[in-house]
């Protein structure tokens, strides 16, 4: 994974020795050679330090960890980091960080071997045989995909992230090992080339630090942020470091005085507490300065205090003692104990006015809450290793698991790796709002979330059928931003469907992926239906009828399997969708299908052949295979160059992957396409009763004056048409102005009524239908 960024290529002779050892040479010979080198001594010393941290494991588990270390040591023999250290020191350091979280023996073993598959040619089968399937699965989840499978670095990175995140959703230990790996890499990044250093730091800040925060690993989150900031903005980091050091000297007396006052107040209440000074991280100071346009001197909450008590009731007793000591700042109290954050974080936050007039934040929590606040989901293993229950740790584990499961939901709806990564990034929100259902259930959503996000958080069916919302009993637009404490009610309709415009304002990855999946499925179904019509029409020209392509029709399935093997599609449905989208030509597919039918003894039918050639149906009415009534959805679109409406002579063009594009018969753009791409054209016709209105353009020349636009709008409205868009055009020196209107009409007769209404308006000089150039 990320550790590979710090690798130097193995020395040729050492690499050969490594391969020989892994493939059966006597390991004792090589161990004897390695034991004499300083590098081997350093590695052995670092593993000895690791074993001291493993005192929570039993003897059998430590033996298994030692076996994994020996295996990893042999696999990485001859490999060195960019700093010149033996490569094995890196897996040992990663395992040491995992040991601080008290992860189990399997996770420690996987940490020691996390680069074995990627860098040393070890297979998953070998790991299963030697260490068992659970350890092999962990290592596999941490292994990047082969870059040779992808055309770009970005594609490779996105797919590797997806693989890791999905492995993480099945076993959270994957991401804990990965975060330990990334933390050690960031600590030792100075030996890397500047460009690579910046790329890895940016990746850490955008992906790994937010994941750590989302899982409640705040200590790791702060370290990854600080390391990334130092590498990406070294000058600003250095300047802020100096400013903080000066500030500590200036404020030491004030901080000491506040701490003495607080300790005395608690002693007078007989409360046994621990008082810790707390300092904002450099990155959080920098981010606040940048977002609020402040100077360093204007950032007032650099220093604060953390109060740790023994029991939950004492949190509120401590809060009362503080509020008696100093005045609280109105609106700055937050109770994260009653309503925990999405990552399980619990604490009371209050901001008080100190004797010097400055605002000071206090955080109050129990020991258990403090462990979860710092270690998050990893606190589960810490308490388990100590033989304690840890309700807060279990709750953090539960919330973390819920988020990890949501990754699987997003993956089910998203097959594109870049899109999946985009959804995950959206879901790694640092701030949350807490809203209520009408039945008082609390939901945590990202700041800026809307009723649509809320609906999808309840259930995907509620989101898909959402039509309106009430917030605190009042009707509200679906794009309204929710605030903490809002009671949200969703109104739905059985025939409603997601609106593509929702993608412009939803904030959660779940809502975004569900909406996109629904729209893609709908487009696929519409395209498949169109493809079926086109193929049936093309096959009629061969005198044959289209066989049933449904999977339950066993008689025709072998025929469709032959056809899809020829076309390169996975199924008949996919082939028909490709035809509907214009990726495959219906006439060419029909000729191949006719050959396959002929091999099975099918013969052209004279009646069908006549229908195919002359476009007649059973009732003798002449019409082509595709009849347009406006209900076709995204598979059939009106060309924006000529904007055809019912009554216009029309023809259809298959753009590659765009479905059927309908042009007017006299469209100049269509004529040019016909010369260049004649085989992609087909006849289409309007239905007798279209189901909707269609867009078309009007050029209106008016006398410039007061109220002209209102007169034009009134005339269009009187003709029962709608104006979608108005363009005033370029200003003229004369007394006339040209308006370009986009209106919705039912057909040509309706358009004629609109134009007559406009001509009767006193302000209108001339009106005509807009034509393509």
């Amino acid at each position: 994974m990320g550790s590979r960024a710090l690798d130097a290529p193995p020395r040729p002779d050492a690499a050969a020795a490594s391969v020989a050892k892994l493939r059966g040479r006597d390991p004792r010979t090589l161990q004897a050679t390695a034991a004499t080198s300083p590098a081997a001594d350093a590695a052995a010393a670092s593993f000895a330090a690791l074993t001291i941290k493993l005192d929570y494991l039993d003897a059998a588990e430590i033996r298994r960890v030692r076996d994994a270390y020996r295996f990893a040591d042999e696999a990485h023999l001859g490999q060195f980091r960019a700093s010149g250290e033996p490569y094995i020191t890196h897996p040992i350091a990663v395992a040491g960080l995992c040991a601080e979280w008290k992860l189990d023996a399997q996770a420690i073993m996987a940490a020691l071997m996390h680069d074995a598959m990627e860098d040393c040619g070890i297979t998953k089968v070998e790991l299963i045989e030697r260490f068992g399937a659970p350890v092999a699965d962990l290592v596999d989840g941490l292994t990047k995909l082969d870059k040779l499978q992808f055309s770009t670095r970005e594609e490779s990175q996105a797919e590797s992230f997806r693989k890791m995140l999905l492995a993480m959703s099945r076993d959270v230990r994957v991401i804990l090992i990965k975060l330990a790996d990334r933390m050690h890499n960031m600590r030792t990044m100075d030996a890397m080339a500047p460009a690579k250093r910046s790329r890895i730091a940016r990746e850490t800040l955008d992906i790994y630090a937010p994941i750590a925060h989302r899982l409640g690993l705040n200590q790791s989150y702060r370290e990854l942020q600080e390391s990334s900031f130092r590498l990406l903005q070294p000058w600003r980091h250095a300047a802020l470091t100096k400013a903080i050091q000066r500030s500590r000297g200036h404020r030491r007396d004030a901080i000491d005085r506040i701490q003495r006052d607080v300790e005395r107040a608690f002693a007078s209440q007989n409360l046994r507490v621990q008082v810790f000074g707390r300092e904002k991280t450099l990155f959080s100071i920098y981010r606040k300065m940048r977002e609020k346009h402040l100077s360093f001197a204007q950032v007032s909450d650099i220093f604060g205090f953390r109060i740790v008590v023994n029991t939950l009731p004492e949190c509120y007793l401590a809060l009362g003692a503080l509020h008696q000591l100093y005045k609280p700042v109105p609106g700055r109290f937050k109770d994260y104990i009653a309503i925990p954050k999405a990552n399980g974080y619990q604490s009371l936050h209050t901001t008080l006015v100190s004797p010097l007039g400055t605002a000071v934040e206090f955080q109050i929590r129990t020991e258990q809450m403090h462990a979860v606040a710092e270690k998050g989901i990893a606190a589960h293993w810490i308490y388990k290793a100590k033989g304690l229950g840890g309700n807060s740790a279990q709750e953090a584990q539960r919330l973390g698991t819920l988020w990890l499961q949501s990754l699987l939901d997003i993956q089910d709806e998203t097959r594109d790796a870049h899109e999946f990564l985009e959804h995950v990034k959206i879901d790694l929100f640092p701030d949350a709002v807490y809203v209520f259902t009408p039945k008082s259930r609390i939901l945590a959503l990202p700041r800026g979330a809307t009723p649509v996000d809320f609906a999808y958080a309840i259930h995907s069916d509620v989101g898909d059928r959402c039509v309106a919302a009430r917030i605190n009993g009042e009707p509200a637009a679906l794009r309204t931003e929710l605030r903490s404490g809002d009671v949200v009610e969703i109104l739905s309709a059985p025939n409603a469907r997601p609106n593509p415009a929702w993608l412009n304002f939803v904030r959660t990855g779940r809502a975004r992926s569900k909406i996109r999946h629904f729209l893609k499925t709908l487009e696929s179904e519409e395209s498949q239906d169109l493809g079926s019509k086109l193929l049936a029409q093309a096959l009629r020209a061969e005198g044959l009828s289209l066989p049933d392509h449904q999977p339950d029709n066993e008689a025709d399935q072998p025929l469709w399997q032959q056809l899809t093997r020829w076309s390169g599609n996975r199924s008949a449905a996919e082939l028909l969708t490709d035809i509907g989208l214009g990726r495959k030509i219906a006439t060419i597919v029909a000729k191949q299908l006719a050959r396959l039918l002929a091999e099975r003894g099918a013969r052209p039918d004279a009646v069908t052949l006549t229908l195919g050639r002359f476009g007649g149906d059973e009732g003798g009415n002449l019409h082509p295979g595709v009849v347009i009534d406006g209900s076709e959805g995204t598979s059939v679109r009106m060309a924006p160059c000529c904007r055809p409406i019912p009554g216009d002579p029309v023809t259809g063009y298959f753009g590659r992957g765009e479905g059927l594009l309908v042009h007017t018969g006299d469209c100049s753009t269509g004529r040019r396409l016909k010369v260049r791409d004649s085989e992609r054209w087909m006849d289409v016709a309007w239905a007798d009763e279209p189901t909707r209105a269609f867009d078309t353009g009007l050029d209106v020349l008016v006398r410039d004056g007061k109220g002209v636009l209102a007169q034009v709008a009134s005339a269009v409205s009187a003709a029962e048409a709608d104006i979608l868009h108005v363009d005033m055009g370029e200003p003229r020196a004369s007394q006339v102005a040209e308006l370009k209107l986009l209106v919705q009409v039912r057909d040509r007769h309706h358009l004629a009524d609109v134009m007559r209404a406009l001509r009767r308006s006193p302000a209108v000089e001339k009106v005509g239908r807009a034509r393509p150039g």
Side-chain angles (χ1 to χ4, degrees):
M1 298 296 292
S3 56
R4 192 173 191 175
L6 298 175
D7 297 351
R11 297 174 185 174
D13 55 340
S18 176
V19 172
K21 188 171 222 177
L22 291 169
R23 296 292 178 259
R25 275 186 57 184
D26 184 359
R28 289 172 297 181
T29 307
L30 291 174
Q31 283 173 350
T33 305
T36 61
S37 68
D41 293 341
S46 57
F47 183 74
L50 171 63
T51 56
I52 296 171
K53 297 180 181 179
L54 300 177
D55 56 355
Y56 61 94
L57 299 179
D58 61 36
E61 289 174 328
I62 291 177
R63 279 197 300 273
R64 292 176 62 211
V65 170
R66 194 178 297 277
D67 287 343
Y69 161 68
R70 288 173 181 148
F71 184 85
D73 191 25
E74 293 172 6
H76 291 295
L77 186 66
Q79 291 182 340
F80 294 87
R81 309 196 82 211
S83 61
E85 297 175 298
Y87 191 84
I88 190 62
T89 58
H90 169 65
I92 292 172
V94 173
L97 290 169
C98 293
E100 291 176 11
W101 291 329
K102 310 298 185 203
L103 297 192
D104 58 18
Q106 289 179 348
I108 304 296
M109 292 161 69
L112 286 166
M113 299 183 291
H114 73 271
D115 279 328
M117 287 176 65
E118 185 177 327
D119 294 340
C120 307
I122 306 298
T123 65
K124 187 175 179 180
V125 173
E126 288 178 82
L127 290 177
I128 292 172
E129 290 174 353
R130 184 98 178 248
F131 301 103
V135 174
D137 287 340
L138 288 173
V139 176
D140 183 52
L142 291 158
T143 303
K144 283 182 184 174
L145 298 171
D146 187 351
K147 289 186 177 64
L148 298 178
Q149 298 174 14
F150 307 101
S151 55
T152 64
R153 164 187 278 279
E154 289 73 20
E155 184 185 356
S156 169
Q157 184 188 47
E159 284 286 3
S160 293
F161 272 132
R162 173 155 73 169
K163 178 190 174 189
M164 182 197 70
L165 289 168
L166 293 177
M168 165 181 109
S169 65
R170 289 186 288 270
D171 192 334
V172 73
R173 293 175 296 178
V174 169
I175 195 57
L176 293 174
I177 298 167
K178 180 59 199 174
L179 288 172
D181 174 36
R182 184 51 61 108
M183 284 165 65
H184 185 251
N185 281 336
M186 295 299 287
R187 291 174 185 178
T188 56
M189 192 63 70
D190 292 333
M192 295 303 302
K196 203 168 189 179
R197 205 161 53 207
S198 297
R199 176 177 59 78
I200 294 170
R202 173 56 58 189
E203 178 185 275
T204 302
L205 196 60
D206 290 346
I207 298 286
Y208 292 105
I211 287 176
H213 185 266
R214 191 65 179 75
L215 296 175
L217 296 153
N218 287 317
Q219 197 172 26
S220 305
Y221 167 61
R222 291 192 296 268
E223 179 178 333
L224 291 172
Q225 273 192 337
E226 289 297 281
S227 302
S228 301
F229 178 44
R230 179 177 63 82
L231 295 169
L232 290 170
Q233 306 275 0
W235 292 101
R236 289 174 180 170
H237 185 275
L240 278 177
T241 302
K242 290 178 182 176
I244 282 284
Q245 288 169 350
R246 288 195 299 269
S247 178
R248 283 178 192 145
H250 296 156
R251 304 186 189 194
R252 185 176 292 117
D253 292 341
I255 292 168
D256 290 345
R257 177 182 169 183
I258 294 170
Q259 185 159 350
R260 284 195 302 270
D261 289 350
V262 167
E263 287 173 346
R264 276 199 299 269
F266 287 133
S268 68
Q269 300 275 352
N270 294 320
L271 279 172
R272 298 183 64 184
V273 303
Q274 300 174 64
V275 181
F276 302 98
R278 187 181 58 83
E279 189 177 273
K280 261 187 182 292
T281 62
L282 294 180
F283 181 75
S284 61
I285 294 170
Y286 167 70
R287 186 168 55 187
K288 187 168 186 176
M289 290 168 62
R290 189 183 61 186
E291 289 175 355
K292 299 192 175 182
H293 307 288
L294 304 174
S295 67
F296 179 79
Q298 291 173 307
V299 181
S300 60
D301 57 348
I302 293 174
F303 300 101
F305 291 90
R306 185 170 292 134
I307 312 297
V308 179
V309 298
N310 295 317
T311 64
L312 191 150
E314 288 179 352
C315 292
Y316 294 94
L317 291 173
L319 177 70
L322 287 174
H323 282 195
Q324 287 175 7
L325 177 66
Y326 298 137
K327 296 295 183 187
V329 177
R332 296 287 295 274
F333 169 68
K334 293 173 184 172
D335 189 344
Y336 292 120
I337 294 178
I339 304 177
K341 287 189 177 183
N343 57 16
Y345 175 90
Q346 288 184 292
S347 200
L348 296 178
H349 289 201
T350 185
T351 302
L352 309 177
V353 179
S354 73
L356 302 178
T358 56
V360 180
E361 187 186 56
F362 287 80
Q363 298 173 355
I364 309 166
R365 58 180 70 147
T366 65
E367 285 274 10
Q368 197 177 101
M369 291 174 192
H370 182 60
V372 172
E374 294 302 303
K375 306 296 184 184
I377 203 167
H380 169 75
W381 280 275
I382 294 172
Y383 275 91
K384 190 175 175 181
K386 292 179 179 178
L388 302 173
N391 292 333
S392 297
Q394 289 173 8
E395 179 65 7
Q397 172 87 352
R398 187 187 69 80
L399 291 169
T401 303
L402 280 177
W403 178 67
L404 296 172
Q405 286 299 317
S406 75
L407 296 181
L408 289 178
D409 293 340
I410 293 173
Q411 162 66 9
D412 288 341
E413 314 295 348
T414 310
R415 294 300 168 198
D416 180 75
H418 286 282
E419 197 174 296
F420 174 74
L421 191 56
E422 175 195 334
H423 296 328
V424 172
K425 282 184 178 180
I426 290 168
D427 244 9
L428 293 172
F429 51 86
D431 298 315
V433 293
Y434 299 90
V435 294
F436 296 85
T437 68
K439 294 184 178 179
S440 299
R441 175 185 163 198
I442 298 176
L443 288 180
L445 294 170
R447 195 169 299 282
T450 65
V452 177
D453 295 293
F454 177 89
Y456 278 104
I458 297 293
H459 196 278
S460 56
D461 287 343
V462 177
D464 289 345
R465 293 179 172 81
C466 170
V467 291
R470 289 196 188 101
I471 300 176
N472 302 322
E474 297 292 329
L478 290 177
R479 65 185 311 129
T480 305
E481 287 193 10
L482 300 177
R483 298 180 179 179
S484 286
D486 283 345
V487 179
V488 186
E489 181 184 356
I490 298 298
L491 307 179
S492 59
N495 297 321
R497 59 173 60 178
N499 187 333
W502 292 354
L503 292 170
N504 295 327
F505 57 76
V506 293
R507 288 298 304 273
T508 59
R510 176 181 171 82
R512 190 173 292 272
S513 65
K514 293 286 184 185
I515 294 166
R516 281 181 170 168
H517 176 69
F518 186 95
L519 296 175
K520 284 178 181 177
T521 303
L522 184 66
E523 180 183 10
S524 177
E525 289 172 356
E526 291 169 346
S527 300
Q528 183 180 330
D529 184 53
L530 175 62
S532 181
K533 290 180 182 178
L534 295 173
L535 187 56
Q537 180 194 11
L539 203 57
R540 279 203 301 270
E542 303 291 330
L544 298 166
S545 298
L546 184 68
D548 187 359
H549 66 274
Q550 297 301 325
D552 55 1
N553 182 7
E554 296 181 4
D556 290 328
Q557 278 307 298
L559 177 68
W560 283 103
Q561 287 169 4
Q562 283 182 278
L563 186 64
T564 52
R565 276 197 299 271
W566 168 82
S567 67
N569 293 98
R570 288 173 293 185
S571 65
E574 186 183 273
L575 172 60
L576 294 174
T577 300
D578 280 355
I579 294 172
L581 289 171
R583 293 174 184 149
K584 288 186 168 60
I585 305 299
T587 52
I588 297 173
V589 177
K591 289 185 184 299
Q592 175 65 18
L593 184 54
R595 280 195 289 272
L596 294 174
L597 286 167
E599 291 173 4
R600 300 178 70 182
R603 294 288 178 268
D605 178 73
V607 176
T608 306
L609 191 61
T610 304
L611 290 173
R613 288 179 177 170
F614 298 102
D617 62 15
E618 288 80 350
N621 300 316
L622 295 177
H623 66 76
V626 178
V627 178
I628 301 166
D629 66 359
S631 64
E632 297 79 15
T634 55
S635 60
V636 178
R637 295 180 296 121
M638 303 300 115
C641 50
C642 52
R643 299 189 186 280
I645 58 175
D648 289 337
V650 286
T651 185
Y653 171 72
F654 273 104
R656 289 171 173 81
E658 298 171 355
L660 186 64
L661 203 61
V662 180
H663 289 264
T664 59
D666 60 351
C667 175
S668 56
T669 304
R671 284 199 296 267
R672 285 195 296 271
L673 283 171
K674 206 160 194 173
V675 171
R676 192 179 66 201
D677 222 357
S678 58
E679 77 281 0
R680 288 186 165 269
W681 289 84
M682 67 172 297
D683 292 334
V684 296
W686 297 105
D688 293 335
E689 295 183 3
T691 60
R692 65 173 178 89
F694 292 80
D695 302 349
T696 194
L698 289 175
D699 293 333
V700 185
L701 200 65
V702 297
R703 284 192 294 274
D704 205 357
K706 188 176 181 179
V708 168
L709 193 57
Q711 292 178 45
V712 169
S714 178
V716 173
S717 177
E720 298 182 352
D722 293 324
I723 299 177
L724 299 179
H725 181 73
V726 179
D727 185 357
M728 301 295 290
E730 295 294 326
R732 299 188 180 189
S734 61
Q735 296 297 310
V736 294
E738 185 179 14
L739 301 179
K740 294 184 180 294
L741 306 182
L742 183 63
V743 297
Q744 277 194 330
V745 294
R746 294 185 295 275
D747 51 30
R748 283 173 65 102
H749 295 298
H750 189 198
L751 177 63
D753 292 342
V754 173
M755 293 171 70
R756 277 194 292 271
L758 283 167
R759 290 189 183 106
R760 286 196 293 269
S761 174
V764 176
E765 292 282 335
K766 183 180 178 183
V767 61
R769 186 173 175 185
R771 294 292 180 183

